[in-house]
Amino acid sequence: MKPERQTILIVDDVPANIGVLVDFLEEKQFRVLVARDGEEALARCQLVKPDLVLLDVMMPGIDGLETCRRLKQHSETVHIPVIFMTAMTDSDNVVAAFEAGGVDYVTKPIRITEVLARIHTHLALREMHRQLSAQNTLLQETNDRLLQAEKMASIGQLAAGVAHEINNPIGFVNCNLGNLQTYVTTLFRVIDDFQQAAAATRAVATRMAELKEAAEVDFIRHDFAALMDESRDGLQRVKDIVQALKDFAHADNANTASADLHQGLDSTLHIVSSEIRNKADVVKEYGDLPPVECVASQLNQVFMNLLVNAAHAIAVKGVITIRTGRAGQWVWIEIGDTGAGMNADTIQRIFEPFFTTKPIGIGTGLGLSVSYGIVKRHGGRIDVHSELGTGSQFTVHLPIHREASP
């Protein structure tokens, strides 16, 4: 397979110059295009995106310097190298050419071999720039993965430390509450026995009734049971949070295994409850999901990022809806919100590393980029639907079995 020919755009208003260059460059297997003035050159660059431009400085209409400046103002043409062709070689004109965005210049009358050498040089430099950009992109992706792995490792260590430091005190408190309930129940029973024994003596019975009323014994008896129930419920919530953190991190298992995604969603909701509680009501519409082959801790990271983003998108009070379902050998998880929504330009960029719509210091712009990488490594994809003023829906599609991914 022959390599694709590189495209050179020649911009000159002198037919003789154009003819010599076109014949020579086509002989050297370049694809050659021609423009007679700056306006035509700008239109052709937008349409064709040539690999290099040979640009005359003196032309009717807008001159070569202004043409180059306009090329460098557009993202689609800013990286096209421009070599000026000029008969003016004094230092002021040379500086002006470079300030306009040119990478080099050749003097008129044109020396064909010199032009070819400079073309090869700058095409090679552009190719090196492309390779360097690709390497930078790969480096950024690797850095995002390392950040995500470091975050998950930190959460795993935190989970282990929390479990160790909190579970033992919780056990002590729970045991002491049981003993306290036994002691207080015994005291209430003694008070009842005293009251029954005092019933035979009217004066003592009256005094006992007065003491019970003054001490509000009946109220304490009723309130004590409620206090014990609330205390045990609070302890159970702490235990649930610790267990949810352990389930979320799975610090002891970073390998692929079958996992219950509903359990992962529920444990993640426990983790981010403080972010969501005052911003939105959570509605669960869970479908019938089979176990999915995945790294559960990584998918929990995705769920956490999507849930936190949904909460941040809601200004006052709204609704976050979590839906799940199955489609053949795939499952899907949709997290939607009634927040501000996004325009088309924002949707195009939300998975870029470090892109964020949040104020400076609020977000890093890595959450969705990391989530995109995790889902992609699982063989899945993330679909986004959003409209300004109506909210957003992020849908994660995952293969049930890793070999089912395309």
Side-chain angles (χ1 to χ4, degrees):
M1 182 178 178
K2 293 183 179 180
E4 185 177 351
R5 292 193 301 168
Q6 293 172 299
T7 300
I8 308 293
L9 174 63
I10 301 172
V11 188
D12 201 325
D13 62 326
V14 179
N17 293 339
I18 294 174
V20 171
L21 287 170
V22 168
D23 291 342
F24 181 78
L25 293 176
E26 286 185 341
E27 182 182 339
K28 297 300 180 181
Q29 303 304 311
F30 288 104
R31 179 187 177 209
V32 182
L33 303 175
V34 174
R36 300 301 180 94
D37 55 46
E39 295 288 353
E40 186 180 357
L42 293 172
R44 285 186 174 272
C45 283
Q46 288 290 336
L47 181 64
V48 180
K49 310 295 188 303
D51 296 290
L52 184 140
V53 176
L54 289 173
L55 180 59
D56 188 20
V57 174
M58 302 299 296
M59 293 185 299
I62 61 172
D63 62 15
L65 296 178
E66 180 60 24
T67 301
C68 186
R69 291 190 192 97
R70 295 189 187 183
L71 284 175
K72 300 304 175 181
Q73 290 173 355
H74 295 280
S75 60
E76 295 181 345
T77 57
V78 65
H79 297 298
I80 300 174
V82 176
I83 298 177
F84 282 106
M85 299 181 294
T86 179
M88 298 180 295
T89 57
D90 59 279
S91 59
D92 290 342
N93 284 297
V94 171
V95 170
F98 285 116
E99 288 180 345
V103 297
D104 207 342
Y105 72 96
V106 292
T107 58
K108 292 184 175 181
I110 298 297
R111 292 187 291 272
I112 291 295
T113 54
E114 179 184 348
V115 172
L116 182 63
R118 293 180 186 273
I119 287 174
H120 282 311
T121 296
H122 289 290
L123 287 177
L125 287 173
R126 190 184 189 202
E127 181 60 28
M128 291 174 62
H129 181 268
R130 285 173 176 168
Q131 294 178 4
L132 181 60
S133 297
Q135 291 295 325
N136 284 340
T137 300
L138 179 61
L139 180 61
Q140 185 61 63
E141 291 176 355
T142 303
N143 183 59
D144 294 343
R145 294 182 185 181
L146 290 174
L147 286 173
Q148 189 269 338
E150 182 178 356
K151 181 184 290 187
M152 294 308 300
S154 298
I155 291 177
Q157 293 174 357
L158 176 63
V162 167
H164 179 73
E165 296 295 334
I166 294 183
N167 279 343
N168 285 341
I170 287 176
F172 298 152
V173 174
N174 200 38
C175 181
N176 290 342
L177 282 177
N179 292 334
L180 179 61
Q181 186 168 23
T182 300
Y183 297 158
V184 174
T185 302
T186 301
L187 289 176
F188 283 140
R189 190 161 49 245
V190 169
I191 292 172
D192 292 339
D193 291 341
F194 279 153
Q195 189 171 15
Q196 290 178 3
T201 306
R202 184 177 183 82
V204 175
T206 301
R207 182 57 179 163
M208 282 291 296
E210 293 172 351
L211 291 173
K212 283 186 64 177
E213 184 177 356
E216 298 182 331
V217 172
D218 291 335
F219 170 78
I220 292 173
R221 187 197 304 269
H222 173 76
D223 195 45
F224 175 74
L227 289 175
M228 294 300 296
D229 290 341
E230 291 175 2
S231 298
R232 284 204 168 89
D233 181 62
L235 285 175
Q236 186 60 46
R237 289 187 184 183
V238 175
K239 292 172 69 176
D240 290 343
I241 291 172
V242 173
Q243 186 60 47
L245 188 59
K246 292 170 67 177
D247 292 341
F248 172 82
H250 280 295
D252 57 341
N253 183 13
N255 298 319
T256 299
S258 293
D260 182 351
L261 297 189
H262 288 160
Q263 180 182 356
L265 284 164
D266 291 339
S267 64
T268 305
L269 280 169
H270 275 291
I271 299 300
V272 300
S273 60
S274 61
E275 291 275 357
I276 297 177
R277 185 183 303 117
N278 297 324
K279 299 294 288 293
D281 297 322
V282 177
V283 177
K284 299 180 185 179
E285 297 179 5
Y286 288 174
D288 184 16
L289 292 189
V292 175
E293 291 183 8
C294 63
V295 181
S297 61
Q298 293 184 2
L299 291 184
N300 289 343
Q301 176 78 40
V302 174
F303 300 152
M304 182 178 73
N305 290 335
L306 296 180
L307 287 167
V308 170
N309 282 354
H312 289 173
I314 297 172
V316 183
K317 187 71 174 180
V319 177
I320 295 175
T321 304
I322 306 173
R323 299 184 179 94
T324 64
R326 177 176 181 173
Q329 294 303 306
W330 289 69
V331 299
W332 54 268
I333 304 95
E334 179 190 282
I335 297 177
D337 63 71
T338 57
M342 298 176 288
N343 58 33
D345 292 337
T346 301
I347 293 174
Q348 291 294 325
R349 299 191 60 194
I350 53 176
F351 295 116
E352 293 179 11
F354 304 109
F355 174 78
T356 179
T357 59
K358 299 173 184 175
I360 296 175
I362 301 299
T364 63
L366 284 174
L368 287 178
S369 174
V370 169
S371 299
Y372 176 86
I374 291 172
V375 173
K376 186 176 180 181
R377 289 195 298 276
H378 278 75
R381 72 182 191 276
I382 303 180
D383 293 340
V384 185
H385 175 75
S386 183
E387 294 180 6
L388 285 174
T390 62
S392 305
Q393 294 82 40
F394 287 78
T395 307
V396 178
H397 299 266
L398 295 166
I400 297 172
H401 304 289
R402 296 295 284 272
E403 62 269 18
S405 60

